[in-house]
């Protein structure tokens, strides 16, 4: 039976779109039960609505703290029947309580070969360091940002003299290929 997945995003949502496209084409045996966000104006939510998917969007500023926001988010995910929670550009740390509640069922994609270059500037940090190979990591989420057991990695060679945003764009393209594979 198809795996019920929920997507968490805060922005553009191209990884969400790539996952949805693979589901529609039959290459990924899953079904998206909810697309949730802490940013009600996220472009990814528009894409989700256009695809006719259920959405949940609440500004985290409406809650007294992270634990309260994550509890409301968790209730929505549980009510939707999410078996796997897929972070796709979700720009917010998840609380310990949330990760306990969904233990082993939260995955993330990061634009670098972890444990190298965690944080929000994975591609730029790789270029600044001068590595010859960068890439992508899909991993289970643990409390420390960009840590946790690796599911899939893909290598993306660095081109000498290439700007960070160009590397970032090539990485982004490969993310769309490997995230659906990791879920499958
Ligand atoms: C991706 O680069 C991903 O690695 C990072 O956030 C970005 C999301 O991109 N975690 P998009 O919103 O899916 O286009």
């Amino acid at each position: 039976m198809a795996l019920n997945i929920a997507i968490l995003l805060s922005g553009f949502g191209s990884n969400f779109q790539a996952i949805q496209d693979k589901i529609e084409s039959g290459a990924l045996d899953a079904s998206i039960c909810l697309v949730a966000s802490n940013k009600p104006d996220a472009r990814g939510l528009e894409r989700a609505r256009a695809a006719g998917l259920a959405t949940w969007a609440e500004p985290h500023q409406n809650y007294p703290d992270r634990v309260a926001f994550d509890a409301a988010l968790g209730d929505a995910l549980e009510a939707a029947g999410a078996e796997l929670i897929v972070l796709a550009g979700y720009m917010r740390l998840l609380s310990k309580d949330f990760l306990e509640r969904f233990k082993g069922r939260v995955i993330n994609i990061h634009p670098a070969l972890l444990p190298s270059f965690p944080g929000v500037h994975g591609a730029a940090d790789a270029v600044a360091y001068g590595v010859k190979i960068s890439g992508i990591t899909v991993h289970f989420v643990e409390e420390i940002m960009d840590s946790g057991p690796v599911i899939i990695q893909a290598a993306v060679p660095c081109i000498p003299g290439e700007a960070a945003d160009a590397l970032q764009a090539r990485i982004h393209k490969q993310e769309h290929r490997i995230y659906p594979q990791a879920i499958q």
Side-chain angles (χ1 to χ4, degrees), residues 13-16 18-19 22 109 136 171-181:
S14 70
N15 276 287
F16 149 62
I19 292 163
K22 292 288 183 200
I109 190 161
I136 301 141
I171 285 176
H172 217 156
K173 242 185 173 158
Q174 296 304 315
E175 289 184 342
H176 301 156
R177 190 174 60 84
I178 76 156
Y179 215 1
Q181 280 179 21

Side-chain angles (χ1 to χ4, degrees), residues 38-82:
N38 62 323
K39 299 265 181 205
D41 59 350
R43 172 82 179 86
L45 285 172
E46 277 173 44
R47 295 174 190 266
R49 289 187 200 108
L53 296 171
T55 59
W56 181 92
E58 290 269 353
H60 57 261
Q61 296 87 343
N62 286 0
Y63 291 80
D65 55 29
R66 188 179 304 277
V67 169
F69 176 80
D70 282 2
L73 172 63
D75 289 347
L77 293 167
E78 227 165 67

Side-chain angles (χ1 to χ4, degrees), residues 68-137:
F69 176 80
D70 282 2
L73 172 63
D75 289 347
L77 293 167
E78 227 165 67
E83 296 172 283
L84 180 73
I85 296 158
V86 175
L87 309 190
Y90 185 64
M91 303 304 285
R92 199 172 151 74
L93 285 176
L94 291 163
S95 59
K96 193 175 176 189
D97 290 12
F98 183 96
L99 293 173
E100 279 295 321
R101 183 172 179 182
F102 297 99
K103 207 173 178 58
R105 294 197 282 142
V106 186
I107 66 172
N108 181 46
I109 190 161
H110 180 74
L113 293 175
L114 293 173
S116 294
F117 312 120
V120 290
H121 305 295
D125 291 346
V127 167
Y129 195 91
V131 294
K132 305 300 177 201
I133 296 176
S134 187
I136 301 141
T137 306

